[in-house]
Amino acid sequence: MCRTCSRGHIITGFRASEQEVYCRTFYIEREIRFPVRECTFYEDRRLASKEDMEQIAWFLTTRKAGRTVGFVSAAQFREDREKESEIAASASDDPKLQE
C-alpha cells in the first residue's frame, strides 16, 4: 500500500530483503517495518489531488453578460466571431463614439 501512497518513501536495494519503507505523514518520517494492509492517511499518488486538478482546469468566461459559457461547434464559433466583428465595425463608424 505504501508503494502507491503519495506519502510513502521507499528505498529498495538489489536484494528482495533490502527494502526500507518510511511514512512522511508525520513531522518526522517513521519507518514502517511490516507490509501495510490499511492506512487512514493513505493518499493514492496515481490520482490527481484537488490542487492538481485546479492547476489544470480550464476557466471559461464570456465577453458579454447573457451569453452562454461552454463549448460550441466550429461553425457557431465563426458565426459568433462575425457578429462580434460586425458590431465592433458599426460602433467605430458611429461619429458619437469617435469624439
Side-chain angles (χ1 to χ4, degrees), residues 48-59:
S49 67
K50 181 180 180 272
E51 292 81 21
D52 293 339
M53 292 170 61
E54 287 174 349
Q55 289 290 324
I56 62 172
W58 289 11
F59 294 98

Side-chain angles (χ1 to χ4, degrees), residues 55-69:
Q55 289 290 324
I56 62 172
W58 289 11
F59 294 98
L60 301 177
T61 59
T62 62
R63 294 186 182 151
K64 300 178 190 174
R67 189 170 161 190
T68 59
V69 176

